Amino acid sequence: MTSIRDQYRTAARTALALVGDAAVVKAWTEPSALAGFTVGGLAAHLAQQITSVTAALAADHAGKAHVRLFEHYDRAAWLGADLDNDYNTGIREGGERAAETGPAAVADEARAALAALETALPAMDGTETTGNTRWPYAMSLDDFLRTRIMELVVHGDDLAYSVAIDTPVFEEDVFDTAAWMLARLAVKRHGQAALVRALARAERAPATVSGL
């Protein structure tokens, strides 16, 4: 399996291509498949999974508690929360504000961020302390990039579905990382039996095993 830093860069390239897709640009101001997001707002939120990494690497995380990957999701204010809670509303508003600059500007900013990461990430070993600048805690670089990989895969599907184009096919290791995380979150929320039945026993599968 490739390193998480390599997986992230591959996933970001795939997502960036989707942000600039003609179907996304054409539908920029139309409603997306996610309530409260326009297509442009959702595309900008997807692009922020790239720009947030450059911001995270530049930030000072001194004094913050250090958490492990799934401890982050235990603390996440948005996980399983109502769409109109303060955190989810803030996420949507941030995407919509970013989208106001237009599709070209959103893509250009993400492209510049990715270019910087293409140079920076290979020189790192993944143990560096970082994290989203809005979080009151920090985590290792590799764990932070895992959270971004899952966001890129999930929101890549949301965005493609919103404009009726094929969902991007992510590199196999990238998808494996996202699928592992989604499975762990699903088990935490619904239990092991529910996930096993959803994947292997259609006749007794639950209505949902979503972990998000």
Side-chain angles (χ1 to χ4, degrees):
M1 179 176 283
T2 54
S3 76
I4 293 298
R5 276 138 285 133
D6 286 345
Q7 287 181 39
Y8 171 78
R9 289 157 56 215
T10 300
R13 293 180 206 125
T14 301
L16 184 56
L18 177 60
V19 169
D21 189 278
V24 172
V25 172
K26 183 177 180 180
W28 197 256
T29 60
E30 299 298 317
S32 78
L34 295 187
F37 262 130
T38 62
V39 167
L42 180 54
H45 181 61
L46 184 63
Q48 286 166 346
Q49 310 316 311
I50 304 172
T51 57
S52 66
V53 176
T54 53
L57 292 178
D60 181 4
H61 302 280
K64 290 184 177 181
H66 193 281
V67 304
R68 297 181 68 84
L69 178 61
F70 288 101
E71 186 180 354
H72 157 66
Y73 290 104
D74 289 340
R75 298 185 182 205
W78 54 267
L79 189 60
D82 186 274
L83 287 175
D84 294 324
N85 86 328
D86 289 345
Y87 200 92
N88 283 330
T89 299
I91 289 173
R92 293 194 299 273
E93 289 176 348
E96 294 302 323
R97 283 195 302 272
E100 290 174 0
T101 62
V106 168
D108 286 347
E109 183 180 13
R111 191 174 297 111
L114 181 55
L117 294 170
E118 296 279 17
T119 299
L121 291 180
M124 297 179 175
D125 67 11
T127 64
E128 295 84 357
T129 297
T130 188
N132 192 297
T133 56
R134 294 181 299 161
W135 297 346
Y137 50 82
M139 56 174 51
S140 72
L141 172 61
D142 274 1
D143 277 351
F144 180 56
L145 294 179
R146 288 182 177 98
T147 71
R148 299 310 92 190
I149 287 170
M150 190 178 81
E151 292 281 332
L152 291 167
V153 171
V154 170
H155 289 309
D157 177 57
D158 291 331
L159 184 57
Y161 183 83
S162 296
V163 296
I165 61 175
D166 290 341
T167 296
V169 176
F170 288 87
E171 192 270 337
E172 187 174 287
D173 283 352
V174 169
F175 188 78
D176 284 351
T177 292
W180 165 69
M181 293 174 64
L182 289 167
R184 282 283 301 269
L185 292 171
V187 167
K188 184 172 182 61
R189 189 169 182 181
H190 302 282
Q192 291 183 0
L195 184 62
V196 169
R197 291 168 185 173
L199 296 176
R201 291 293 178 261
E203 69 275 13
R204 57 177 186 270
T208 181
V209 289
S210 174
L212 302 180

